[in-house]
Amino acid sequence: MSVANALTVDVEDYFHVAALAPNIHRDSWTSREPRVVGNTQRLLAIFEQFNVRGTFFVLGWVAERYPQLVRDIAARGHEIACHGFSHRLVYEQSPEEFRDETLRSKNLLEDITGSAVLGYRAASYSIVRKSLWALDILVELGFAYDSSIFPVRHDRYGIPDAERSPHRLSTPGGKVIVEWPLSTAQVFGLRLPVSGGGYFRLLPYWLTRWGLNSINRREARPFIFYLHPWEIDPEQPRVSAGWLSRFRHYTNLDKSEDRLQALLREFRFGTARDGLAQLGLLAATD
Ligand SMILES: [Zn+2]
């Protein structure tokens, strides 16, 4: 059987993004033009066209306002997972704040769908060395897996020497959680983040494709790919920000949808939960 890669979506709006956070005050979120419902519906239509199911890490803030969107995602057979509530970075929260908001989001998603939420992904991959304590809280709250660790060097996230493949990870408190780190390709001893988001838009498609192929074929492992609904929305309102943030957020928005279709044609995808079950790291779903 070929490798089942995980297709994942972080369901949030363009104004939630960490790269733009210094320029968008939280108090202004409710007065901004919402785009997340329309963009997520477009993603659902594309996934349906390719008969692909994926995992949607939904932000609690979005689920609270648009519960029908969460129901629509689940009704099409996708996995609902948790992206926290507020999109605050984990390492900027106290453990108590983190526990409260993560539980609030998990409960909300479970109330809406009537199913257990097993997966978690932190805002901007903010489980880093100094916030590994969050993994203990995830286990306590009943999460079976996490996909928040990015084994690269970056100004806002990353554990550069973290394990690259899905694995059982021991937490600082002596518990165990399954971790599916964001995928990187190995190139001459370097780790190249080829697994989605800004990298998918900024790197040439051939390089993404080469990197993902090298994970599937040379390493014979599945990769986990991620994107955001706003990444297929070139019409989104522009926010004034510094050049680096603008570069990261706006480059190639108009190319993402075509690239996504190419990716869905070339690789085999499923949910993160099923991928981890196939690897024997989680119990299989019925
Ligand atoms: Zn996010």
Side-chain angles (χ1 to χ4, degrees):
M1 186 153 65
S2 59
V3 192
N5 303 297
L7 180 63
T8 70
V9 180
D10 295 353
V11 182
E12 63 196 40
D13 224 325
Y14 62 96
F15 48 79
H16 293 126
V17 175
L20 300 178
N23 304 87
I24 301 183
H25 200 273
R26 278 173 188 278
D27 297 345
S28 76
W29 285 2
T30 48
S31 59
R32 292 187 185 262
E33 181 196 346
R35 310 278 294 179
V36 67
V37 174
N39 291 334
T40 305
Q41 295 286 5
R42 268 178 59 214
L43 282 178
L44 289 173
I46 296 168
F47 291 1
E48 191 141 299
Q49 194 188 324
F50 287 89
N51 197 22
V52 161
R53 295 210 171 91
T55 297
F56 288 67
F57 293 92
V58 184
L59 190 67
W61 192 93
V62 170
E64 191 174 58
R65 276 160 190 78
Y66 311 108
Q68 189 55 43
L69 178 66
V70 180
R71 283 182 213 111
D72 288 348
I73 298 169
R76 295 195 192 208
H78 302 289
E79 177 187 7
I80 298 291
C82 178
H83 194 38
F85 200 94
S86 67
H87 217 260
R88 284 178 62 206
L89 304 180
V90 173
Y91 54 77
E92 290 179 351
Q93 300 185 52
S94 70
E96 293 70 30
E97 288 169 326
F98 175 76
R99 181 196 306 272
D100 288 352
E101 81 143 80
T102 306
L103 182 60
R104 182 180 172 201
S105 183
K106 184 172 188 277
N107 285 344
L108 176 63
L109 294 168
E110 291 180 343
D111 286 348
I112 294 171
T113 61
S115 311
V117 165
L118 300 186
Y120 176 82
R121 176 171 290 153
S124 202
Y125 322 106
S126 54
I127 297 187
V128 297
R129 217 175 281 291
K130 66 183 172 188
S131 52
L132 286 171
W133 49 260
L135 296 172
D136 278 298
I137 295 174
L138 293 177
V139 175
E140 285 163 28
L141 297 182
F143 288 96
Y145 75 91
D146 172 67
S147 179
S148 304
I149 295 180
F150 217 138
V152 292
R153 208 174 289 281
H154 184 278
D155 53 3
R156 203 170 43 246
Y157 54 76
I159 301 180
D161 58 352
E163 158 98 48
R164 293 173 52 244
S165 304
H167 59 286
R168 287 191 182 84
L169 177 61
S170 299
T171 66
K175 302 185 179 73
V176 174
I177 192 164
V178 172
E179 174 66 34
W180 195 337
L182 283 304
S183 296
T184 57
Q186 288 273 45
V187 192
F188 305 117
L190 297 174
R191 295 175 171 196
L192 189 62
V194 287
S195 55
Y199 304 104
F200 185 54
R201 286 179 291 115
L202 300 172
L203 298 173
Y205 180 68
W206 64 263
L207 184 57
T208 296
R209 182 168 172 253
W210 173 85
L212 296 176
N213 259 321
S214 85
I215 300 171
N216 274 180
R217 298 194 182 155
R218 195 165 53 79
E219 302 189 52
R221 286 170 177 162
F223 60 80
I224 189 162
F225 188 85
Y226 69 96
L227 77 165
H228 303 87
W230 55 264
E231 290 187 285
I232 56 158
D233 181 13
E235 311 295 319
Q236 65 190 270
R238 293 302 193 258
V239 172
S240 59
W243 73 267
L244 180 60
S245 299
R246 274 185 285 121
F247 178 71
R248 282 174 175 167
H249 191 87
Y250 295 119
T251 303
N252 289 340
L253 288 176
D254 54 338
K255 299 202 174 93
S256 297
E257 190 168 333
D258 286 347
R259 287 184 181 190
L260 175 62
Q261 303 221 8
L263 189 84
L264 295 175
R265 255 190 298 276
E266 289 186 57
F267 295 92
R268 199 167 84 86
F269 286 102
T271 65
R273 181 182 186 171
D274 288 346
L276 290 169
Q278 198 184 0
L279 294 170
L281 290 168
L282 284 186
T285 40
D286 38 36

